[in-house]
Amino acid sequence: MSEHGTLVAARYGIARSAKWPAAERAHVARSPHCTACRRPGLRVEVHHIFPFHFCVCLGRADLELDERNLVTLCPEHHLLLGHFDDYESMNLRVRGEARGRFHGMTDVQLRASDAWRKLAARRPAHLGEMTRDRRRELRETMDRHMPR
């Protein structure tokens, strides 16, 4: 897990599954390059599309280890595409955007992109800032996109 993920999880008082290191290694073995830039040799991180702390706090801890919820990104794309420059937020379209309109863009190009800036300006709220209704809607979205 990235250092940032550890800090966010600690803020919410949650811990990783003991099975996470094996799941993380298996994912990187299947998908060893950043989905957004595909540059070989870069350090990569396994990003949770529905962030781990959201999953646990909303009752879907199973998504921590679920391959459908994982995507490989380099550190710069993890932050900018996975979280819109805020590790406590999320981008539920990260996989498609990393392969599509933002594919191959550097951090400088992303930050200069009008499309990225508009998305980042509308990034989802932090979990602690969400209303009860918004949390319920997000849980329903999790269940719809990644049924048990």
Side-chain angles (χ1 to χ4, degrees):
M1 172 167 48
S2 72
E3 176 184 339
H4 303 287
T6 301
L7 295 173
V8 171
R11 186 172 300 132
Y12 287 91
I14 55 179
R16 287 281 187 194
S17 163
K19 296 177 181 178
W20 171 245
E24 183 179 37
R25 283 190 304 275
H27 177 82
V28 171
R30 282 188 299 277
S31 181
H33 303 294
C34 175
T35 302
C37 64
R38 307 286 304 161
R39 289 180 292 191
L42 283 183
R43 182 172 70 84
V44 293
E45 298 172 346
V46 178
H47 169 68
H48 289 84
I49 297 166
F50 287 101
F52 166 64
H53 68 288
F54 281 67
C55 296
V56 171
C57 293
L58 297 177
R60 286 298 308 271
D62 59 295
L63 293 178
E64 174 189 12
L65 307 175
D66 191 319
E67 183 65 27
R68 298 172 299 171
N69 194 37
L70 306 177
V71 62
T72 306
L73 298 169
C74 65
E76 70 183 27
H77 289 120
H78 186 179
L79 175 62
L80 297 177
L81 293 179
H83 296 280
F84 291 127
D85 206 18
D86 180 347
Y87 277 108
E88 289 204 47
S89 189
M90 65 185 155
N91 175 6
L92 299 182
R93 296 187 193 122
V94 61
R95 189 176 281 132
E97 289 174 349
R99 291 178 178 155
R101 68 175 157 176
F102 298 125
H103 185 78
M105 293 176 78
T106 66
D107 59 337
V108 171
Q109 292 169 323
L110 281 168
R111 289 179 191 279
S113 162
D114 286 336
W116 181 86
R117 285 198 315 262
K118 286 177 185 174
L119 290 170
R122 294 189 321 259
R123 70 178 151 251
H126 295 183
L127 185 63
E129 298 169 351
M130 288 185 181
T131 65
R132 178 182 284 223
D133 287 343
R134 178 63 185 118
R135 285 176 175 230
R136 187 185 74 256
E137 289 169 6
L138 183 57
R139 169 58 193 263
E140 290 169 358
T141 299
M142 287 178 182
D143 293 343
R144 194 171 46 256
H145 289 278
M146 297 183 189
R148 289 185 193 247

